[in-house]
Amino acid sequence: MPKVTVYDMAGKSVGELELEGSVFGIKPNKSILHAAVVNYLANQRQGTQSTKTRAEIRGGGRKPWRQKGTGRARQGSTRSPQWKHGGVAFGPKPRSYRYSLNKKVRKIAMKSAFSAKVLSEGFIVVDNISLEGIKTKSMIKMLGNLGADKTALVVTPQSNQNVILSARNIPGVKTAQVGALCVYDILNCEKLVIDKEAVSKLTEVYAQ
């Protein structure tokens, strides 16, 4: 089972934590991680792009010239796709790009993401992430002490408004609670800064 050092908010080592091997010590499945990221990005798409067909463009009701005898190709409307100001053939219309992955794949993807962070030494466990008030300076100081001052995902066991509001204006820093984690956010950060209690909750959920 993998072991990680537990730090306090000042960046000092306060002990070690043995992680559950079935959650944080598996071989990352790259194909499933890719599928999870593509799924997340597809679900973020608004799908509001739209073009007009020839039926939706004003005008073009009169036949531009007679059918025969002109020497030109027959035309029925000036709003056909080949005409300037004509409609678009087979263009995009509003649609939903959402689709879902099955439960087993989602679970393996999360475990693979956690394990990849542990392998890359980007998994930082903090004894207790808490702030007395909304102080961005305190959050910046904590991340600096932990060596996570570039891009970081701060994970708390439950919603913590002081932590959320203190981190929201720091470039490259996101916050999440255990129940709202996603593979994309985990892989998209250099360091995963996680509360020790949150590690226990993740173990309970994913070790089953």
Side-chain angles (χ1 to χ4, degrees):
M1 290 187 178
K3 285 185 178 180
V4 292
T5 304
V6 179
Y7 299 93
D8 61 14
M9 291 179 65
K12 295 178 182 177
S13 173
V14 294
E16 278 192 339
L17 178 65
E18 191 170 340
L19 300 174
E20 175 62 44
S22 63
V23 179
F24 302 97
I26 70 168
K27 183 180 178 181
N29 189 317
K30 291 183 180 179
S31 62
I32 286 183
L33 284 174
H34 178 264
V37 170
V38 171
N39 172 250
Y40 173 83
L41 293 174
N43 291 348
Q44 300 308 301
R45 293 184 69 174
Q46 292 188 2
T48 54
Q49 71 276 43
S50 183
T51 54
K52 290 184 178 181
T53 66
R54 58 185 290 177
E56 296 168 316
I57 295 178
R58 185 177 179 181
R62 182 174 65 86
K63 190 173 174 68
W65 52 76
R66 59 198 175 99
Q67 182 82 346
K68 295 178 179 292
T70 65
R72 292 179 286 185
R74 55 194 175 186
Q75 301 291 333
S77 170
T78 56
R79 297 300 179 260
S80 296
Q82 73 271 22
W83 283 73
K84 185 179 179 181
H85 306 304
V88 176
F90 309 113
K93 285 291 185 184
R95 54 165 286 197
S96 172
Y97 289 88
R98 291 192 68 85
Y99 68 96
S100 62
L101 297 175
N102 67 56
K103 200 178 205 178
K104 187 180 286 185
V105 170
R106 292 200 305 269
K107 195 169 184 178
I108 295 172
M110 289 297 287
K111 289 181 180 182
S112 294
F114 293 137
S115 299
K117 272 287 171 273
V118 174
L119 283 171
S120 65
E121 297 182 351
F123 193 86
I124 302 172
V125 180
V126 181
D127 186 40
N128 182 31
I129 300 175
S130 63
L131 297 172
E132 293 180 1
I134 302 167
K135 295 182 180 178
T136 301
K137 283 185 179 180
S138 299
M139 178 60 70
I140 292 172
K141 186 178 179 182
M142 181 195 82
L143 294 173
N145 293 335
L146 296 169
D149 49 357
K150 291 184 179 178
T151 57
L153 177 64
V154 181
V155 182
T156 53
Q158 55 271 329
S159 181
N160 187 322
Q161 287 301 305
N162 286 346
V163 172
I164 293 169
L165 297 176
S166 296
R168 68 177 175 176
N169 287 333
I170 307 173
V173 177
K174 290 186 72 174
T175 57
Q177 61 188 72
V178 169
L181 277 173
C182 75
V183 172
Y184 179 83
D185 286 340
I186 295 169
L187 297 179
N188 200 38
C189 67
E190 186 182 16
K191 302 289 184 181
L192 178 65
V193 181
I194 185 167
D195 192 291
K196 187 177 178 181
E197 187 184 338
V199 175
S200 300
K201 289 192 173 184
L202 288 173
T203 303
E204 287 177 19
V205 173
Y206 291 102
Q208 298 173 1

